[in-house]
Amino acid sequence: MIAFTMGLSIFWRLILGYLIIFILVMMVGVFAFLQVRQFHTVTQYVINVDNRILEYEKKLEESLLSQHRFLKKSIISKDLGLYAQFISSKEVFLRDLGFILNVADTPSHVDLLKKIREAHGRYLILAEEESGYILSRKKYPKKHYEEEKERLIDEILNDFEQLDIRVRQDAQLRMQELGEKGDAARDIALILASVALGTVIVISFLITRGITKPLNLLRIKTREISEGIFKSDLNISSSPEISDLAQAFNLMTHSLSTLDRMKSDFFSTMSHELRTPLTSIKEGIALLQEETAGPVTEKQKKLLSIVSQESRRLIDLVNSSLDLSKMESGMMTYHFETADLAVLINQVLLEMIPLLETKKILLENALASGLPKIRVDRERMLQVLRNLLSNAVKFTPEGGRIIVSAEGVGKEIRVAVKDSGPGIPAEQQTTVFFKFHQGDTGKSYPSKGSGLGLAIVKHIITSHGGRVWVESQEGRGSSFFFILPV
């Protein structure tokens, strides 16, 4: 079915799925209808045939006994009125016997009824003969006629009894067969219903999966794009609509990847070209500050100091941009060695003391004791710690607090840098690690950086086999975490 529906649109997949489900439901419904109809037929047969035969069988017995009593009384009393009642009872008997013969359709029932009719015919012949003798006042073997009539009446009553037994047995057999068929029909209905339900579930699953799976792939790829990963390798064998969407998506990611590469190449080239003149400017400023070219006034020294700081900031930006370009292109070289992470953290904390004292920020060192040693690139890991701590200092208000912690979690070490700054809005927490991203911290924190520090942190931590993330609430500070394998 998957291969058959591969080229169908979502609309026709749904139509085909619903059609199959409808057919299965109709099959179960038709089977149930046929079984109910069969039950109804058998029940109606028992009501309209067997029960009516039993009902008329009782009437025939009563009619037979009535006509026999009227005949005996008319013979004894020579009363024509009683004989007329005998004739009337006979006609009722023959009428009911004819009706029951028309109703009966079982050979054994028909044979018994015909036998009863023949015996009754012989009984009527004897009655007519005896009546003729009585009317002509002739002598006849009265005792013989009485015995013969009694024998025929007993024979007819016995046949009626046999008919009653057979009809009841046949009705019981039909009801028994009906019960057995009902049990079989119930089992078949359960099997059909289970198969139909299972098929409906499978079809629904396949249809839903055929829609949700490619959409989920699109969702994952969209998330990768939001994280700056541009890979146009989305290959979806699905409906034409989603396949076209996947092709458009691949085209879009290819374009974004090209633009991102062009931007990276541009910044890399510009950074590389700027490094030499910036270094020359820095050295020139240093010579001027040393008064190599002549005396410098105090006002000029202040200006030179400001220019020196800005030149160093530009050089740091250029170096960061070049480092990030190498990391993105996979050309960054790492020198891994076994190191004590606690020593590296304490080294960076010592470097930050002047900045902390300037802003009167309280630093809390919460490093766990006995941290295991791990393999890292010492310089790159120091770069990670410096970037995280400098960000914390930058966004922590005067008199605030920064907490640095590290602890072992299973076969990993988790490091956290928590500040008491303004926090990061929820919509920006997924983009803070993008390059050139500058979070909106409000007018109280106008300081802006290059937007490369956290992007470099993510690349370094990822290259070490770890991961980094942020947890933050507006007005309640931010916590940056990273995990490294032991």
Side-chain angles (χ1 to χ4, degrees), residues 221-444:
K221 289 296 182 180
T222 303
R223 180 178 294 176
E224 289 180 356
I225 289 178
S226 69
E227 295 175 355
I229 302 173
F230 306 106
K231 292 182 179 179
S232 56
D233 57 351
L234 190 60
N235 185 17
I236 299 176
S237 300
S238 184
S239 61
E241 300 97 329
I242 297 180
S243 296
D244 292 343
L245 179 61
Q247 292 178 3
F249 186 90
N250 287 334
L251 181 61
M252 179 191 69
T253 53
H254 177 73
S255 299
L256 289 174
S257 177
T258 302
L259 290 174
D260 185 68
R261 186 170 58 254
M262 290 173 62
K263 182 178 67 174
S264 297
D265 292 343
F266 171 77
F267 279 106
S268 178
T269 302
M270 290 300 297
S271 299
H272 187 272
E273 294 297 326
L274 286 172
R275 175 181 283 181
T276 300
L278 284 174
T279 302
S280 298
I281 292 172
K282 179 183 176 183
E283 293 299 327
I285 294 172
L287 291 174
L288 290 175
Q289 287 177 327
E290 294 173 359
E291 300 183 357
T292 303
V296 179
T297 65
E298 289 298 323
K299 186 175 182 180
Q300 290 173 338
K301 287 182 179 179
K302 291 181 180 180
L303 291 174
L304 288 172
S305 178
I306 294 172
V307 174
S308 177
Q309 290 178 1
E310 292 301 317
S311 65
R312 282 198 299 270
R313 192 172 70 86
L314 285 174
I315 292 173
D316 291 340
L317 176 60
V318 169
N319 290 332
S320 296
S321 180
L322 289 173
D323 286 344
L324 185 59
S325 297
K326 289 181 180 179
M327 292 175 185
E328 289 180 334
S329 61
M331 298 176 64
M332 176 61 70
T333 302
Y334 292 92
H335 302 282
F336 290 95
E337 58 181 310
T338 303
D340 189 340
L341 189 59
V343 173
L344 299 180
I345 295 174
N346 287 324
Q347 178 180 335
V348 176
L349 292 179
L350 288 174
E351 295 174 2
M352 294 293 168
I353 288 178
L355 293 175
L356 295 170
E357 291 178 347
T358 300
K359 297 184 68 174
K360 300 179 181 179
I361 295 174
L362 176 64
L363 176 64
E364 183 177 337
N365 189 333
L367 303 182
S369 60
L371 290 176
K373 293 184 178 182
I374 56 176
R375 288 184 59 79
V376 296
D377 184 313
R378 295 175 60 90
E379 292 302 321
R380 296 304 169 192
M381 193 53 56
L382 287 172
Q383 189 176 4
V384 167
L385 296 170
R386 289 185 183 115
N387 282 337
L388 292 179
L389 280 167
S390 62
N391 274 349
V393 172
K394 182 189 302 182
F395 293 106
T396 299
E398 187 173 342
R401 185 173 67 169
I402 295 176
I403 302 174
V404 180
S405 63
E407 60 179 343
V409 181
K411 294 185 177 181
E412 297 173 325
I413 293 180
R414 183 174 67 182
V415 179
V417 178
K418 182 177 182 181
D419 61 58
S420 58
I424 302 173
E427 63 273 11
Q428 295 185 20
Q429 291 181 20
T430 57
T431 59
V432 293
F433 294 100
F434 290 2
K435 57 186 177 182
F436 305 115
H437 172 81
Q438 302 244 339
D440 183 9
T441 57
K443 295 181 180 180
S444 300

Side-chain angles (χ1 to χ4, degrees), residues 48-302:
N48 296 329
V49 177
D50 293 338
N51 286 352
R52 297 188 75 177
I53 290 176
L54 292 175
E55 178 184 352
Y56 275 88
E57 181 258 334
K58 295 299 181 184
K59 290 182 179 180
L60 286 170
E61 287 184 4
E62 294 176 359
S63 178
L64 178 66
L65 294 175
S66 296
Q67 62 181 298
H68 186 56
R69 284 195 300 271
F70 286 133
L71 180 61
K72 289 175 67 175
K73 290 180 180 180
S74 65
I75 291 174
I76 294 172
S77 63
K78 309 295 190 296
D79 187 348
L80 295 177
L82 292 173
Y83 189 77
Q85 289 182 343
F86 162 73
I87 297 299
S88 177
S89 297
K90 178 196 71 174
E91 292 175 353
V92 172
F93 180 87
L94 292 175
R95 182 196 65 193
D96 291 343
L97 184 60
F99 176 80
I100 200 173
L101 272 169
N102 291 328
V103 171
D105 59 354
T106 305
S108 61
H109 299 172
V110 174
D111 292 341
L112 275 174
L113 290 171
K114 287 181 178 180
K115 183 180 177 183
I116 291 171
R117 185 175 60 183
E118 292 174 0
H120 184 259
R122 294 197 301 271
Y123 174 83
L124 293 179
I125 292 172
L126 291 174
E128 289 176 1
E129 290 177 356
E130 189 173 9
S131 298
Y133 284 126
I134 292 173
L135 290 175
S136 62
R137 299 180 183 276
K138 293 181 180 180
K139 291 184 178 181
Y140 68 96
K142 184 177 181 179
K143 185 176 181 181
H144 169 74
Y145 275 91
E146 287 180 356
E147 291 177 353
E148 194 65 20
K149 287 187 294 182
E150 290 293 338
R151 185 186 64 79
L152 290 173
I153 291 296
D154 291 339
E155 181 181 340
I156 293 171
L157 291 175
N158 183 64
D159 290 338
F160 274 131
E161 184 178 356
Q162 292 297 318
L163 178 64
D164 183 275
I165 293 172
R166 291 186 183 181
V167 170
R168 292 183 186 278
Q169 288 177 345
D170 290 345
Q172 185 177 1
L173 287 174
R174 289 191 184 94
M175 296 306 295
Q176 185 177 352
E177 290 177 0
L178 186 63
E180 293 175 354
K181 289 182 178 180
D183 293 339
R186 179 196 61 198
D187 296 338
I188 295 174
L190 287 175
I191 293 173
L192 286 176
S194 300
V195 171
L197 180 61
T199 306
V200 167
I201 293 174
V202 170
I203 291 174
S204 301
F205 172 76
L206 292 177
I207 293 175
T208 305
R209 185 173 179 270
I211 297 173
T212 57
K213 183 179 179 180
L215 292 179
N216 187 52
L217 290 175
L218 285 170
R219 179 183 63 82
I220 294 172
K221 289 296 182 180
T222 303
R223 180 178 294 176
E224 289 180 356
I225 289 178
S226 69
E227 295 175 355
I229 302 173
F230 306 106
K231 292 182 179 179
S232 56
D233 57 351
L234 190 60
N235 185 17
I236 299 176
S237 300
S238 184
S239 61
E241 300 97 329
I242 297 180
S243 296
D244 292 343
L245 179 61
Q247 292 178 3
F249 186 90
N250 287 334
L251 181 61
M252 179 191 69
T253 53
H254 177 73
S255 299
L256 289 174
S257 177
T258 302
L259 290 174
D260 185 68
R261 186 170 58 254
M262 290 173 62
K263 182 178 67 174
S264 297
D265 292 343
F266 171 77
F267 279 106
S268 178
T269 302
M270 290 300 297
S271 299
H272 187 272
E273 294 297 326
L274 286 172
R275 175 181 283 181
T276 300
L278 284 174
T279 302
S280 298
I281 292 172
K282 179 183 176 183
E283 293 299 327
I285 294 172
L287 291 174
L288 290 175
Q289 287 177 327
E290 294 173 359
E291 300 183 357
T292 303
V296 179
T297 65
E298 289 298 323
K299 186 175 182 180
Q300 290 173 338
K301 287 182 179 179
K302 291 181 180 180

